[in-house]
Amino acid sequence: VLLFVSAECPCSRGYDERIAALARDYRALGVRFLAINSGREPERAIREHARKAGYAFPILRDPKSEVAQRLGAQLTPEVFILD
């Protein structure tokens, strides 16, 4: 599961608890989560957001939105399921 998230977007933050729970629940089934932050948010803010949200998966930075553009991601949170 590839997620586009934001440390600053209230809508994205509103889903933090649910995203963290889904990642926990599906880990046992072998589903891996990876988040991407495509904003220009400071790394410190991204790390703090991940800690507070309870994210137990990596969050990568995409400050030029290259990955987001390639996948067509337009909002946060936006989810892509890859197999």
Side-chain angles (χ1 to χ4, degrees):
V1 176
L2 181 62
L3 308 154
F4 285 85
V5 297
S6 169
E8 296 176 353
C9 173
C11 184
S12 184
R13 288 192 330 256
Y15 284 92
D16 285 346
E17 186 176 317
R18 183 69 180 131
I19 290 169
L22 286 168
R24 279 191 310 272
D25 293 347
Y26 281 89
R27 179 184 295 157
L29 299 173
V31 177
R32 299 170 81 182
F33 279 63
L34 175 68
I36 296 179
N37 183 305
S38 289
R40 297 182 189 268
E41 300 168 10
E43 187 173 335
R44 181 178 176 197
I46 295 169
R47 281 195 312 266
E48 182 67 13
H49 168 239
R51 185 188 67 73
K52 286 182 179 179
Y55 289 172
F57 48 83
I59 299 180
L60 306 177
R61 295 181 70 209
D62 179 31
K64 294 181 182 178
S65 297
E66 295 170 292
V67 177
Q69 289 175 10
R70 289 187 105 168
L71 292 174
Q74 297 179 25
L75 348 144
T76 58
E78 190 159 357
V79 179
F80 293 81
I81 299 174
L82 309 173
D83 183 12

